[in-house]
Amino acid sequence: MRYRLMCRLLCSFLAVCWWGGAADSMLFSVSFEGTANAEVAGGGGAAQTARSMEFVEGYIGQGVRLLPGGGLAYKRAGNLELASGTIMFWFKPEWGFLGLGRFNFFGTSTMDLYRVGPKGGKPWLQLRVMGDGKPVVNKLLPDLPSDKWVHVSLAWDTSRGIWLYMNGEQVASADETWEPRMPEWDKTFRISAPETGTHPPSKTGILDEYRVYSVALNADRIRAIAMGLDNSTTPTSGLPQPVFAVPFENNPQATFQGGAAMGLVGVRLTYETGVSGVGALIK
């Protein structure tokens, strides 16, 4: 029993160490639980712009639906790194059979990811990076599936390239490099649903769990987050309860199948700040 518990404690600790890097690199997170303000923000979480939106049922808890003409803007400094980073979110398109609807998932003056749904034309996604006033990357991609939740991740490193993922799978990449510069006047990053001029106004979609990281997360990490396996970055609501768990909140008490697990700890533990609350340092 002693050695089984030691192995379980060690595996739990190593799992926290392995996945903790993503949590440490998170700069910004907004879950849209009745507010557009971010709960995690390195540079201030208050929305600089928040117009024409409504809070509805999201992927986890509540999400936000931007109405045509609606938009969100957040302070860039402290919340977004120019040299490298990852932006990810869940989105459920609502543009329906005709495919009308525009949506800017992430926009700055030098990088944006947006959806174009023109009247009488075929919708598409576009990924664009600008450098010295001209396009460095300009990718046209197939449209998102309608009425289904999709996990979208955009990772970049200006010294290596840019990668786009859907539901954890890479769908586009570019090896181009560029200088991490942005005009002085551009102090925010934006999310918006531009007007289409149609009557009635075209629908957009529901956005949820929008996050920004300071590093370009690799494909394995992004896939784990999209599949709900990375509990350092994914809310636990909606996930199955673990059979065995050790929170390490200043003690090694474990639970097994919902009850207390008794045993011996054959290692020396000290407690420090962890990914969530307190963690254990094995000596």
Side-chain angles (χ1 to χ4, degrees):
M1 177 68 180
R2 172 183 176 183
Y3 296 108
R4 287 199 299 269
L5 181 57
M6 284 176 60
C7 290
R8 286 171 174 164
L9 287 172
L10 181 59
C11 288
S12 298
F13 177 76
L14 292 176
V16 170
C17 292
W18 173 254
W19 294 116
D24 292 343
S25 66
M26 185 188 294
L27 294 176
F28 178 90
S29 175
V30 55
S31 298
F32 302 115
E33 297 298 327
T35 177
N37 295 334
E39 59 270 10
V40 175
Q48 306 294 293
T49 300
R51 66 177 186 273
S52 300
M53 63 184 184
E54 55 188 11
F55 297 102
V56 297
E57 183 179 355
Y59 182 77
I60 298 175
Q62 286 188 304
V64 66
R65 175 189 288 131
L66 292 183
L67 306 176
L72 297 164
Y74 296 96
K75 186 178 178 182
R76 177 171 57 82
N79 294 328
L80 177 71
E81 296 287 346
L82 300 182
S84 63
T86 303
I87 289 169
M88 64 175 59
F89 52 86
W90 286 94
F91 188 76
K92 184 180 181 180
E94 295 181 313
W95 25 75
F97 176 73
L98 295 178
L100 299 176
R102 299 177 183 176
F103 205 96
N104 192 344
F105 302 103
F106 168 69
T108 68
S109 60
T110 58
M111 186 189 305
D112 49 19
L113 174 65
Y114 57 95
R115 193 258 188 185
V116 179
K119 185 176 181 180
K122 186 176 181 180
W124 71 86
L125 297 182
Q126 190 155 358
L127 170 60
R128 183 177 60 177
V129 177
M130 303 293 291
D132 296 324
K134 58 184 179 181
V136 177
V137 176
N138 191 18
K139 295 277 188 180
L140 302 182
L141 305 163
D143 194 17
L144 295 175
S146 185
D147 204 36
K148 294 181 180 179
W149 282 105
V150 181
H151 187 267
V152 180
S153 302
L154 177 64
W156 72 92
D157 185 319
T158 58
S159 66
R160 296 189 294 124
I162 191 166
W163 306 267
L164 180 66
Y165 300 83
M166 301 286 183
N167 292 328
E169 299 299 325
Q170 184 176 303
V171 296
S173 66
D175 296 332
E176 282 79 6
T177 62
W178 64 96
E179 291 295 322
R181 292 196 299 261
M182 194 168 288
E184 179 61 29
W185 57 264
D186 194 356
K187 299 183 182 298
T188 63
F189 63 92
R190 280 87 61 189
I191 306 164
S192 63
E195 295 270 9
T196 60
T198 59
H199 297 282
S202 57
K203 293 183 178 181
T204 58
I206 304 171
L207 183 69
D208 203 2
E209 308 301 324
Y210 197 99
R211 293 182 180 139
V212 182
Y213 299 86
S214 62
V215 298
L217 300 181
N218 63 36
D220 289 340
R221 183 67 55 83
I222 288 173
R223 187 177 301 109
I225 295 172
M227 295 176 64
L229 301 178
D230 185 345
N231 59 18
S232 72
T233 61
T234 303
T236 56
S237 59
L239 298 180
Q241 292 297 314
V243 174
F244 178 86
V246 188
F248 292 121
E249 297 297 332
N250 293 312
N251 65 70
Q253 180 64 54
T255 60
F256 179 68
Q257 295 183 338
M262 306 301 294
L264 298 176
V265 178
V267 294
R268 181 182 174 190
L269 299 176
T270 59
Y271 299 96
E272 299 182 1
T273 301
V275 173
S276 175
V278 177
L281 178 63
I282 299 177
K283 295 186 176 181

